[in-house]
Each structure stands twice: as structure tokens, then as C-alpha cells.
Amino acid sequence: MVRRAVLPLAGLGTRFLPATKTVPKEMLPIVDKPAVQYIVEECARAGIDDVVFVTSTGKASMEDHFDRRLDLEAALEAKGKEDDLALVRDLAGLVTIHSVRQHEPLGLGHAVLMGAGHVPADESFAVLLGDDIVDPQADFLERMIAVHERTGRPVVALLRVRPEQASLYGIATVTPGDTPGEHLISDLVEKPSPEDAASDLAVIGRYVLPGSIFETLRETQPGRGGEIQLTDALNAMAHEEPIVGLELDVPRYDAGDKLGFLEATVALAAAREDLGPDFVAWLRRWLEERDQ
Ligand code: G1P
């Protein structure tokens, strides 16, 4: 059973300056929820009830977001705004949140290692990267957990990317797995140049990992960019026995990128029962008028 997750949330968000000068990029709203809320709700849907935020200075508002806010609750209650009250109050009961600081930006592998104090070494856990928003209707993380429980191997989400995008991702060398959509990964390289990429299959920000990864991470030397890379620790594990890649077959948005953030906003707004019909109608009219 996987009931814990580590969420690396310490990044500076420089791709969204000036918005992220004082607001963590994970707190930027997609429609009306901060990006990090989608990630925590994804955890809760997958049965995860214990989440470690790995943060850095200036990002405490993420913890506050999942705390009670008694003055606001009292004001909403006094006005009889029951729906808003539930939206605010229920966030605190979603999962248990622990928070640890990554004092220096020493890499994704180092950030995950910061979670070790809250994850027993004999327990498997999930890692979700805040930049990757996976369709909220999908059960992809549940499926990754099921694959991990069946195989006992680390499981990573894979996405086919254009060749020139290889240098943005961890790229996998694979053979077909037993089940459609599953790949056996024998090697992983962090952000290779397109000429050196072994495939078009990129790791995106969902991982289900055995607790033993912490030991591997402790032994992992700085790699790409002088940082301790999660990809390198997984590569070491893949060299001993293949790890599993599950190909993403549901929409995913790179909310760490301006275009991806806009795509996420449009797609998630369009999917909303309350906003979708009016928003899509407006969007159609707007495009027609613009293209006349
Ligand atoms: C990280 C990982 C990379 C992975 C990517 C997915 O890179 O290091 O292996 O492919 O996330 O989004 P980052 O985007 O944090 O630079």
C-alpha cells in the first residue's frame, strides 16, 4: 500500500517572474485553485493521506493554504456562505501535511531525500512534481501504484516528446513490458542533447518508488548541472534490474511553462460544470471575431 508522497516544491519559479517574486509558483491559480491543490487532491484520490512538502524560503503560504483559517471560516459562517465555507475548511482535512526545508537548491534527488525523515525506509511512496498537472478526472497515479504493487519495481510516468525536447527531460532506454503502455527501462539519462537521446520517451513528474531509493540517493554523486539528480539514482536501480515506465495516456499540462500554464487554465476551465459551457461559448466567439 502506498500512503505517503513527497512533493518537491522548493523551486524559485523564475519562469514566472515577476508573479513569483513573492508568490510561490505552485500557488498561482489554475482557474480558482492553486496548482499545488491539484497535486494534493491527486494524492488524496490515489489513497495517499500523508504528504511531505519539500519547500524553501518564502513558500510558507503553501502550508497555510492547507491549514484551517478560523477568522475566514467564522466570517463565511456568519454570512451563511456554506459552500465557500466547505471549500476553505475541507482543505485542512484532505491529507496530513509535513513540511521540510531544502536549504539549498542541490537538485531534485536531494529534494526527494529531504523527505526521508517522514517515509519509513521499508515503505514505498509517490513523488509528484508540482509543474506537471495531470488531468484531474484521471486515475493515473492509482494505476502507477497498482503497477508498482504488482511488479515491486520503481514506476515512472513516461510521455512521448518531440526529439528537440529531449534536453528538457530524463530520457529512457526501453524494451516493451508485458502489458500495453508498460515499458521496461534499462537506462535513464537526465536531459541528454537530442542527438544523444536513446528514445522519445521522457520521464514526467510522477514516480512510485521503494523506500530503498533513499539509500541510493545518498550515494548518488552530483550529475547534470552539478545537482543530485533523481534520474541518476533511478538509473543506478535500472542497471540492477529494469524499472517500469507507464506511458501517460491522459492529458497532462506543463504548468511550469507559460504556454502549458495557459493550456491547463483553458482545458480545466472548459471541463468545469459551472464555468465550462459559458467559457467555451465565449472562447469560440472570441476566436471567430479575432480571425475575421
Ligand atoms: C525534472 C526531472 C526530469 C524530468 C522532469 C519532468 O526536471 O529532473 O528528469 O523529466 O522533471 O518534468 P525539471 O523539469 O525539474 O528540470
Side-chain angles (χ1 to χ4, degrees), residues 7-239:
L7 272 46
L9 301 167
L12 285 174
T14 49
R15 283 190 283 177
F16 277 91
L17 283 169
T20 48
K21 185 178 173 191
T22 59
V23 178
K25 67 173 172 176
E26 297 84 358
M27 288 300 289
L28 297 179
I30 301 176
V31 189
D32 53 6
K33 289 184 203 175
V36 66
Q37 189 177 332
Y38 290 93
I39 306 284
V40 171
E41 287 176 344
E42 184 181 342
C43 288
R45 270 201 317 278
I48 289 167
D49 60 12
D50 195 279
V51 172
V52 187
F53 281 7
V54 181
T55 74
S56 58
T57 191
K59 304 195 90 171
S61 58
M62 292 190 293
E63 291 146 52
D64 290 346
H65 185 68
F66 294 94
D67 197 353
R68 296 287 298 272
R69 173 82 197 271
L70 298 180
D71 57 341
L72 178 59
E73 289 177 24
L76 293 170
E77 201 161 9
K79 287 187 180 150
K81 296 200 163 182
E82 294 298 326
D83 291 349
D84 288 340
L85 177 61
L87 283 180
V88 169
R89 194 184 41 207
D90 295 354
L91 276 173
L94 212 47
V95 296
T96 298
I97 290 176
H98 312 273
S99 179
V100 295
R101 293 284 175 128
Q102 186 187 26
H103 298 294
E104 291 176 77
L106 298 178
L108 178 60
H110 179 263
V112 171
L113 192 49
M114 292 291 102
H118 290 282
V119 182
D122 59 354
E123 236 185 81
S124 296
F125 65 104
V127 172
L128 293 88
L129 303 189
D131 282 348
D132 287 306
I133 302 290
V134 173
D135 183 353
Q137 312 303 324
D139 58 354
F140 195 73
L141 186 60
E142 287 98 307
R143 283 160 54 201
M144 288 180 71
I145 291 172
V147 172
H148 173 72
E149 283 172 351
R150 174 163 49 80
T151 61
R153 298 300 297 156
V155 180
V156 302
L158 291 177
L159 182 71
R160 290 199 186 272
V161 296
R162 294 193 305 276
E164 68 274 15
Q165 293 180 305
S167 58
L168 300 174
Y169 297 100
I171 298 290
T173 300
V174 300
T175 54
D178 302 336
T179 316
E182 270 178 49
H183 301 268
L184 295 177
I185 301 175
S186 56
D187 192 81
L188 279 169
V189 178
E190 180 68 2
K191 301 184 177 142
S193 59
E195 317 76 86
D196 295 333
S199 76
D200 61 352
L201 284 167
V203 176
I204 63 121
R206 297 293 180 275
Y207 308 77
V208 181
L209 304 171
S212 58
I213 188 104
F214 292 126
E215 210 38 60
T216 311
L217 281 168
R218 282 188 194 99
E219 290 159 10
T220 301
Q221 298 302 310
R224 177 117 197 142
E227 297 183 345
I228 296 172
Q229 298 292 351
L230 181 59
T231 303
D232 292 345
L234 285 167
N235 186 39
M237 294 179 102
H239 285 179

